[in-house]
Amino acid sequence: MTLRFPWPGLCYLPLYFLYRGLDISFSNLQYAYWIRGSHGLDYAEGMASNYFHGYLKLSLPSHNEGEGIKQRIALYESKEGVKFILNRLVILVPSTMFVNSKIESPILTRDGIKPLETIVKNRAGVARPFKNDVYRFTKPINGTYYYVALEGATPLLSFFEAMHHRTSMTWQMVDMKREILLKFYRHLKKLLNEWPETRHQAELILYNSSYDGEYSPDVGEVLLAHIANMSQKM
């Protein structure tokens, strides 16, 4: 029996039936194609949109004097007499989706390093502080110990935790985690680039953070390789 839907929007009904618990099965490839689509109904786009509109669009631009990420980095450099390797916020997007509360690398340290100046924005009736941590490279680059404003993509950590929690995890989340990760990265990058006030204010670094039993990628080395690649393209 062939089902004919009266309008194109009904092509998204499989997700509805999926969450309603009806016995409709789809292959992983079909799920992957659905996630890649642009419809705003999936976990990945939701995470990226909430992260952008609820955090990055508020904290990165300069709406008032001294509030933007570049202004705060410039103020930090002037006060502390240091130099940042990038004048933007660096956001890590690891393939495992897990980032420690303190980013660990032999060539990065946060010990004794002040964060950027905290700004406060009103959000839904709450005075919300925005704070960005700063790390220093422990080895010089061309004779300079550079600093960097660095953090992990917090929505991915929440997703990682949801996948490991009995009451929030589904097998689709686990099987499709790579598709969700890539969709999150692409959609967030699109949002940052298309909104004029956030363009060139943040640098997303997508990298393989998995451990193969012998080798675990070092975040500091990943960061340096990414910056070197940026320099070659300029």
Side-chain angles (χ1 to χ4, degrees):
M1 177 180 177
T2 301
L3 295 177
R4 297 186 181 277
F5 295 122
W7 51 281
L10 289 179
C11 65
Y12 301 133
L13 279 177
L15 184 69
Y16 172 79
F17 288 128
L18 176 67
Y19 286 119
R20 295 292 296 177
L22 298 184
D23 186 19
I24 298 179
S25 58
F26 298 90
S27 70
N28 282 0
L29 183 60
Q30 287 173 305
Y31 281 123
Y33 281 138
W34 191 88
I35 290 172
R36 293 173 194 173
S38 180
H39 39 69
L41 299 175
D42 62 275
Y43 208 122
E45 279 194 357
M47 287 194 299
S49 294
N50 288 337
Y51 188 43
F52 176 75
H53 292 290
Y55 171 51
L56 296 176
K57 197 173 75 170
L58 299 174
S59 63
L60 294 179
S62 179
H63 299 298
N64 296 302
E65 185 177 354
E67 284 190 352
I69 188 71
K70 292 190 176 184
Q71 289 76 17
R72 286 184 285 141
I73 286 176
L75 179 63
Y76 192 106
E77 289 179 325
S78 176
K79 283 186 174 181
E80 303 297 326
V82 300
K83 182 68 176 175
F84 277 63
I85 199 164
L86 288 175
N87 65 338
R88 61 188 70 179
L89 177 64
V90 177
I91 301 174
L92 300 175
V93 185
S95 62
T96 58
M97 305 188 191
F98 181 81
V99 180
N100 281 320
S101 56
K102 182 178 179 181
I103 296 169
E104 297 178 347
S105 166
I107 62 173
L108 288 172
T109 182
R110 199 178 72 187
D111 295 339
I113 307 298
K114 298 178 181 178
L116 294 181
E117 183 175 331
T118 301
I119 59 172
V120 178
K121 297 286 182 72
N122 187 285
R123 188 69 170 168
V126 177
R128 181 181 174 187
F130 292 90
K131 176 182 175 182
N132 300 106
D133 282 330
V134 173
Y135 288 77
R136 179 177 63 86
F137 283 93
T138 59
K139 67 178 185 179
I141 303 168
N142 297 327
T144 300
Y145 287 90
Y146 283 98
Y147 286 62
V148 62
L150 179 67
E151 61 188 56
T154 51
L156 289 183
L157 179 58
S158 298
F159 182 72
F160 175 88
E161 292 170 342
M163 284 194 300
H164 292 80
H165 196 277
R166 178 173 59 86
T167 57
S168 56
M169 182 271 290
T170 67
W171 67 263
Q172 291 90 352
M173 290 166 63
V174 176
D175 282 10
M176 293 290 103
K177 62 183 179 182
R178 180 179 178 276
E179 291 292 338
I180 293 171
L181 168 74
L182 295 176
K183 181 69 173 290
F184 169 85
Y185 168 76
R186 292 178 186 130
H187 192 60
L188 181 59
K189 192 171 185 177
K190 178 182 177 182
L191 291 171
L192 286 167
N193 289 335
E194 291 187 353
W195 188 255
E197 292 182 329
T198 57
R199 192 178 299 135
H200 307 308
Q201 306 291 312
E203 188 68 25
L204 301 181
I205 301 182
L206 174 66
Y207 66 101
N208 179 17
S209 59
S210 59
Y211 177 61
D212 64 5
E214 296 181 1
Y215 174 74
S216 180
D218 178 71
V219 173
E221 297 293 348
V222 168
L223 176 56
L224 288 179
H226 183 87
I227 293 171
N229 187 49
M230 289 175 60
S231 301
Q232 292 175 0
K233 293 180 179 179
M234 295 178 64

